[in-house]
Amino acid sequence: MSTLEERYRRLLTLYPAGHRARHGEEMLGVMLARAGRERRHPDPRDALDLVKGALLIRARHAFGPGGGDSWRDALNVAAIVAPLHLLVLETSTWAMALWVLDDTQPLMFAVMPLVFALPHLLIVWLALRGPRWAAATCAWVWAAVGTAISVRLSLAANVYFEHEPVPFSVGYLFSPLGLAFQSLPGAIVALLLTVAPGSSAGAALAGRRTLLRWTTVAVLTMNCAAALERFLLPDQSLGSLASTTLVCMACGAASRTPVGRRAIALLVPLLLVVYGGVPEFGGPGDGWLPALVQVLVGATVFVVARRGFRPYGSGTVSSPEPLA
């Protein structure tokens, strides 16, 4: 295989597998014949036409008449994954909260994470068992209660910091814009549960055991990262790195299937709000290197999960699992 042919084949991977099977060799032959023997790189016009054609075909598949069933399944999957994700975040510091508990700190600091996780646990249980309206109602109620709690904390913080210099990141958290971002995740989950035809069907599509494994691994990983960051590596953002790795791994595994890719698209607003809504400002020693490492680790994990953890068989791009 020549270098030019290999590069054209890489561009053809942008097309759906079915389209490549029917027309891939014909398209490759036409482009190679037009390019000639001396050329080593694809013609820019051919490359642009290939990318544009791939986008149009994928858009037609996604939003055409045959894409309705896939979007319905993706909505069901997103409706169960979203509350599970918030449940993992609420339980991500249990170990640290218990380990730092001593005689100088009240028991409330260890109990509060558990209290805030219980509503999410109830929402997940209702989403799995049904009926549909029960989980949506509970999610809307908790979104309203969470907003009220945030407002109350904001008022108390404003009184406490009235005569004290406040760091910008702390002031932003308790500002109206910061409170709005803190309330959005609960509202997004409630909206998904309201419009999804059946979140329990989404759990069946994703696999209940798969969801249980992902949730267990995520909770343990986040707790271990929080404990290591608290006791051994206080200058490292291990919690942020762990959450980025887990999200990229889950997205990479889900992207193997059309339903999984659509579910990722539906979950993008939640991920943007949770991880990008409230900016984090590091100390003076923080630089661009930790952020670059985090991006590289996330990209690597996504690619590995996308291609599968085995070279052949189930879990690869050519032979994906039903829904990861």
Side-chain angles (χ1 to χ4, degrees):
M1 182 186 300
S2 65
T3 303
L4 180 62
E5 180 181 353
E6 182 180 357
R7 286 169 176 166
Y8 271 125
R9 288 189 181 275
R10 289 178 183 173
L11 288 172
L12 287 173
T13 58
L14 297 173
Y15 287 80
H19 185 88
R20 293 200 307 270
R22 291 190 300 270
H23 308 291
E25 294 301 324
E26 179 183 356
M27 295 169 64
L28 181 63
V30 170
M31 289 182 294
L32 289 176
R34 187 163 51 190
R37 296 182 178 181
E38 301 301 326
R39 181 179 287 274
R40 296 179 57 84
H41 296 276
D43 185 274
R45 291 173 297 181
D46 289 341
L48 182 61
D49 288 340
L50 285 174
V51 173
K52 183 173 66 174
L55 292 176
L56 290 175
I57 289 176
R58 289 194 176 275
R60 193 181 308 127
H61 286 183
F63 301 103
D69 293 340
S70 296
W71 280 109
R72 184 184 65 248
D73 292 340
L75 186 57
N76 289 334
V77 172
I80 190 62
V81 171
L84 267 177
H85 187 71
L86 293 189
L87 177 63
V88 169
L89 292 180
E90 289 293 342
T91 58
S92 61
T93 57
W94 275 6
M96 186 180 69
L98 292 175
W99 290 351
V100 301
L101 188 65
D102 53 34
D103 295 337
T104 63
Q105 295 179 340
L107 184 62
M108 180 185 66
F109 286 105
V111 175
M112 286 303 293
L114 175 62
V115 173
F116 277 91
L118 288 177
H120 294 286
L121 183 61
L122 177 60
I123 292 170
V124 171
W125 184 79
L126 291 174
L128 290 172
R129 301 299 298 269
R132 164 183 152 186
W133 60 266
T137 302
C138 185
W140 282 116
V141 169
W142 178 240
V145 172
T147 301
I149 293 175
S150 298
V151 172
R152 180 66 183 87
L153 291 176
S154 174
L155 295 175
N158 290 332
V159 173
Y160 180 80
F161 292 116
E162 186 176 1
H163 302 292
E164 298 288 339
V166 182
F168 178 79
S169 57
V170 176
Y172 182 87
L173 285 173
F174 293 104
S175 67
L177 183 59
L179 291 174
F181 273 117
Q182 293 178 61
S183 304
L184 276 178
I188 293 174
V189 168
L191 181 62
L192 287 173
L193 289 169
T194 301
V195 299
S199 53
S200 58
L205 276 172
R208 292 175 181 266
R209 292 184 178 180
T210 300
L211 291 176
L212 179 61
R213 287 197 301 268
W214 275 98
T215 303
T216 303
V217 169
V219 170
L220 292 176
T221 302
M222 293 296 293
N223 276 279
C224 290
L228 288 173
E229 183 177 339
R230 170 66 174 80
F231 296 107
L232 299 179
L233 300 169
D235 297 329
Q236 305 297 323
S237 301
L238 295 182
S240 177
L241 179 61
S243 62
T244 300
T245 303
L246 290 169
V247 170
C248 290
M249 184 181 296
C251 290
S255 66
R256 301 173 193 161
T257 64
V259 172
R261 290 189 289 271
R262 288 167 171 79
I264 293 173
L266 293 172
L267 290 170
V268 163
L270 177 65
L271 296 177
L272 288 177
V273 170
V274 171
Y275 297 106
V278 180
E280 296 182 2
F281 296 88
D286 294 343
W288 57 268
L289 185 58
L292 179 61
V293 170
Q294 189 166 328
V295 170
L296 292 177
V297 170
T300 302
V301 169
F302 178 88
V303 172
V304 171
R306 172 70 174 87
R307 294 183 175 181
F309 300 96
R310 291 173 291 231
Y312 302 102
S314 178
T316 64
V317 176
S318 59
S319 178
E321 297 173 354
L323 182 62

